Each structure stands twice: as structure tokens, then as C-alpha cells.
Amino acid sequence: MVATYTEALNFIHGRDRFKKAPTLKRMRYFMKLLGDPQEHLSMIHVAGTNGKGSTVAFLRDLLMADGQTVGTFTSPFITRFNERISRDGVPISDDDLVAMVNQVQPVVAQLDQELAEKGPTEFEIDTALMFCYFAAHPVDTVVVEVGLGGLFDSTNIITPAVSVITTIGMDHMRLLGDTIPEIAAQKAGIIKPHVPVVCGRLTADALAVMDQTAARQATQVAALDRNFQVTRQPTDQWGERFDYRYQEWHWSHLQEDLLGQYQVDNAATALTAFVTYQSQRHAAIDAATVRNGLAHTAWPGRFERLNDQPLIAIDGAHNEPAMVEMAQLLRQHFATNEVYIVLAVLADKQYTQMVQTLLTVPNVHLIVTQFAGPGKRAAATPLALEEAVPQHDRITMAADWPAALKQALGTMSAEDLLLLTGSLYFISEVRHYFKDDAAE
């Protein structure tokens, strides 16, 4: 038994992070011993390389605008672990987390004794805590984000009402495969018999994998650019404006507060999943709900403004596909500003390509630095990041990110943009610093 929140977190974080073998057998047994709480939940399942968190946030707000109570399961957290399990956007309380840990801990101890390859991993326990919490505190719908991959992810013991796959890109290749079709096959693992599938902007080879998998599961894929369309409209406000078309649903001048073409794609993907889910339930779909839901969506750490003058933002872009999207966003929204980027990246990412991609934007000035990585995962050194380009007059180094921040602020003008990016763990550290300062 744990008595305090700190003890609960120590129990969770004290577990192994990864499974010894790709299988869901242990997770299914774990949940069976807990009474299979997931069997009583109405769920939407969201996988993808990038865009999962934002898509979950759009879905949450669309469902809430419809008057539903909505549970969400997301990772990683930005400020506190509790964010991972939230009800109507409010994180699980410390007391409820302690209660849930006390519910699963005896079962974990039993599995530790019974199973030769050891009991549940940290993420399996996170998933179990979430299922138990929403079974004990019922909501209308739970939006569940996949942790890693799809096929063997701990969340993949569910049969959702709708499966969503946001994007497919090169990330976690050591675990998921070295080609887009291989990675797509892992993500397509969440496709279940007769459960409709919604896909975001996928390459032709990734979409082919989705279609083939869906056909085997006797279901169909609604894909962005093929079955539903989104057209970005110019706007002088912060955020994005767009038109949307899917079957008989057409909405013009939808507004959302998150910047970037990829956020337009995420909003459209979430909207299609919402329409599909509501249609299944024979529930109303009206324009006011759609407009209000999308307009109110905020997602910490996704081109989030921390300061207005000078403009300081953070973004959790942490792999090469995300940096390609970031470069496009900077060209679209900040072509007339000088852009100072403080970049820190985990060493196991494709940081060479990430640096090179950012420097394709002509008004970008890069300050490469490092941070304390999570657990045993180290950040790439500033020297390693700088050596991503043989010679460049728009890249400098700083020993740590506070020094990089000071260097940028000492150089830039009030009209310029300062962006800190490269890792969700990094921007979590930065966000703490800015928000704690604001609180004082």
C-alpha cells in the first residue's frame, strides 16, 4: 500500500519502461485480474508518429462542446504526471491517483511472482490506472492515445468505437522498423474488425497499408485528401482558419488557436473522427458544436506562447517529420521576422536531419544546447548538434538552455520570435521555469 502521492509516483516510475517481448498477453492477463474495467468504456483510439496529442485535444473539446464528459489518456506529461489521466481536461487528483495505485499494486505484486519475465512495465501500469479510474469515475467517452507504435502497445487491448491514425513518419525505428510501410504496419495494428478508421495526412505507401489492414478487418478508412478535405484560409489572427468537407458535412471559416498546417490537418482528422463517432451513436452534429469545440482547443507545448513582447514560444517537435512541419510553419507565419531557435534534442533522435531542416529557413538563427534527459536517456551535446552542418554562420552553441536563452534575448529585437524546441521533455523543463516565474 502507498500512503502518499510521492510514494505512488515512486511505485509507477520504479518499474521497467519496456516489455521484454512484443506481446499483449501479459497486459490482457493484468486487466483480467483487475476485472477488465476497459470493457465498460466507450473509447476512441488515437495512434500516429506526430499529432496524437493535439488530435486528442481537438476530439476532447468537440465532445465536450457536445455536452459529453470526456476522459483522456495522453503521454508524456508536460508539467505533472496527473495530466496523463484527465476528465474534461482536469487531471486526476493526487488522492485518486493514490487510490488507483493501491488498487493495482497487489495485482502487480502477484504478476511479479507468477511471471518469469517479470510483471507489468511502467506504461502498462499507467494504462491500467487509467482504465480503473474511468471505470470508477464514469465518463461518456474516453479518448485513448497510444504510447508507442500500436500493434503491441498496452492500450491495444481495447475495441474502440473509432480508430484514428494521425501521421506516419520515421521515429522510434529501433522498435518499429526502418521503412514507412513497416512503421505503418505497427500503427495499423490498432485497426479492429468492423471499427471505422480515420487517417490524417499519410503518404501513399502508408495509406496503402491502412487500406489493406482495414480490408482484412472488414472495415474502411476515411483519409485526409481522399475522403475528407481541408483548405487553409489566410487569417491575420493567431491560429488558423480553414474550410472542411466530408460527405454531407461542409463547414467554412472554422477557427482554431494552434499554429501550423499540421494543426489544421489534426483538427480535420479529429473532426472526421467526431463525425464518425456521433453518426455511430445517432447523435446530433451541429455547426455551433463544431465551431465552439475547435475554437476552444489549447494544448500545452504545441507552439505555445509564453510571452508576447518579445514573442517567446515553445514547441514539442522532437523528430525529423515534426521539424519539416515546423519549418513550413515558420515560413508561413514568421517570414518577415528574425527567428531565434534554442534547440535541445535527445541523443537517440535524428538530430542531424533536424538541425539541417531548420536551417533551410533563411531567417532562422540556431542556438544549440542541451538539457538533462529523462531517466537514462541523454541529450545530444551542443557539439554534436553543431557538427550536423559542416559550416554555418547561423548556428552557435551554449552550454545549457538558460545560457542559450540569455544569448538569444541579448541579440534579438522586440519584433523577433524566440522558439525553444527539440524535445517534449526539454520544453517541459522550460515551461516549468516560465510558469513558476509567472506565478511568483
Side-chain angles (χ1 to χ4, degrees):
M1 294 282 284
V2 301
T4 66
Y5 175 72
T6 302
E7 288 174 6
L9 284 190
N10 289 342
F11 166 72
I12 294 164
H13 295 321
R15 304 296 300 188
D16 286 341
R17 289 196 65 222
F18 292 110
K19 303 177 181 70
K20 307 296 184 291
T23 175
L24 289 174
K25 205 161 92 177
R26 175 173 58 195
M27 188 65 192
R28 288 199 174 98
Y29 183 40
F30 185 15
M31 298 316 298
K32 183 181 175 186
L33 293 176
L34 286 165
D36 282 323
Q38 77 282 2
E39 298 295 330
H40 309 290
L41 305 174
S42 177
M43 290 178 277
I44 299 173
H45 206 188
V46 182
T49 302
N50 292 319
K52 295 189 295 290
S54 300
T55 301
V56 168
F58 282 123
L59 261 169
R60 174 199 65 203
D61 290 345
L62 285 163
L63 293 162
M64 284 175 63
D66 183 57
Q68 298 184 45
T69 53
V70 186
T72 50
F73 180 58
T74 55
S75 58
F77 61 91
I78 298 294
T79 307
R80 293 186 90 224
F81 175 87
N82 306 47
E83 296 162 29
R84 299 183 72 163
I85 303 169
S86 294
R87 193 173 190 272
D88 286 350
V90 179
I92 183 173
S93 70
D94 293 358
D95 288 346
D96 282 335
L97 185 64
V98 168
M100 294 301 116
V101 166
N102 284 327
Q103 185 176 336
V104 306
Q105 198 178 33
V107 177
V108 172
Q110 180 183 337
L111 292 173
D112 280 346
Q113 286 190 317
E114 281 186 31
L115 301 178
E117 81 279 16
K118 300 285 187 187
T121 63
E122 178 175 342
F123 190 72
E124 286 171 336
I125 289 169
D126 295 344
T127 307
L129 291 169
M130 177 267 295
F131 288 142
C132 290
Y133 177 70
F134 290 126
H137 303 81
V139 293
D140 296 311
T141 308
V142 184
V143 187
V144 177
E145 180 186 332
V146 165
L148 178 64
L151 183 59
F152 298 114
D153 188 75
S154 310
T155 64
N156 202 31
I157 59 168
I158 68 174
T159 300
V162 183
S163 300
V164 181
I165 295 150
T166 57
T167 60
I168 306 289
M170 302 298 278
D171 197 17
H172 299 294
M173 284 89 78
R174 187 172 57 83
L175 297 167
L176 302 181
D178 292 325
T179 68
I180 290 293
E182 282 176 339
I183 294 171
Q186 290 290 320
K187 310 286 187 193
I190 72 163
I191 297 175
K192 303 295 193 312
H194 311 293
V195 174
V197 184
V198 175
C199 289
R201 193 177 297 280
L202 302 189
T203 56
D205 51 353
L207 184 55
V209 172
M210 299 304 154
D211 285 332
Q212 290 155 14
T213 309
R216 288 197 300 273
Q217 300 285 27
T219 187
Q220 288 185 311
V221 174
L224 177 58
D225 287 342
R226 182 181 71 187
N227 307 94
F228 62 99
Q229 283 75 36
V230 65
T231 310
R232 184 174 172 269
Q233 302 292 347
T235 177
D236 53 6
Q237 294 175 263
W238 181 274
E240 301 286 355
R241 179 180 288 177
F242 59 95
D243 298 344
Y244 170 90
R245 302 176 75 85
Y246 175 51
Q247 295 178 351
E248 69 265 35
W249 293 283
H250 304 166
W251 291 293
S252 297
H253 305 305
L254 296 173
Q255 187 79 31
E256 51 101 346
D257 207 34
L258 303 179
L259 277 186
Q261 173 64 51
Y262 56 95
Q263 294 295 12
V264 174
D265 293 351
N266 293 337
T269 303
L271 182 49
T272 306
F274 171 73
V275 164
T276 306
Y277 182 68
Q278 293 291 86
S279 300
Q280 272 187 331
R281 299 165 63 244
H282 307 290
I285 303 165
D286 65 76
T289 296
V290 168
R291 291 187 189 282
N292 289 339
L294 295 176
H296 287 114
T297 300
W299 192 232
R302 274 62 173 192
F303 222 94
E304 179 186 5
R305 279 182 294 185
L306 299 181
N307 193 68
D308 279 323
Q309 272 206 315
L311 180 57
I312 301 174
I314 53 174
D315 192 277
H318 57 279
N319 52 34
E320 168 59 6
M323 286 305 168
V324 171
E325 300 284 10
M326 176 62 68
Q328 183 188 10
L329 183 158
L330 294 173
R331 287 189 188 96
Q332 283 177 339
H333 286 276
F334 299 99
T336 59
N337 311 71
E338 294 302 308
V339 178
Y340 292 82
I341 298 179
V342 174
L343 182 73
V345 185
L346 287 171
D348 57 7
K349 297 293 182 179
Q350 294 175 293
Y351 56 80
T352 298
Q353 294 93 318
M354 292 165 74
V355 168
Q356 290 170 353
T357 296
L358 287 174
L359 285 170
T360 63
V361 184
N363 53 328
V364 157
H365 308 271
L366 211 51
I367 305 170
V368 293
T369 188
Q370 61 192 348
F371 69 109
K376 295 175 183 172
R377 296 176 74 189
T381 64
L383 186 60
L385 293 174
E386 191 191 43
E387 286 176 347
V389 281
Q391 283 182 310
H392 218 291
D393 58 358
R394 289 187 284 124
I395 186 167
T396 56
M397 286 192 294
D400 53 43
W401 71 261
L405 186 65
K406 190 175 178 183
Q407 185 180 320
L409 291 171
T411 311
M412 62 189 287
S413 74
E415 288 73 44
D416 299 338
L417 165 67
L418 172 56
L419 172 66
L420 298 98
T421 189
S423 164
L424 279 163
Y425 297 102
F426 168 47
I427 62 142
S428 171
E429 206 175 296
V430 173
R431 196 172 188 275
H432 264 297
Y433 170 84
F434 273 89
K435 295 295 179 183
D436 289 351
D437 263 15
E440 289 168 15

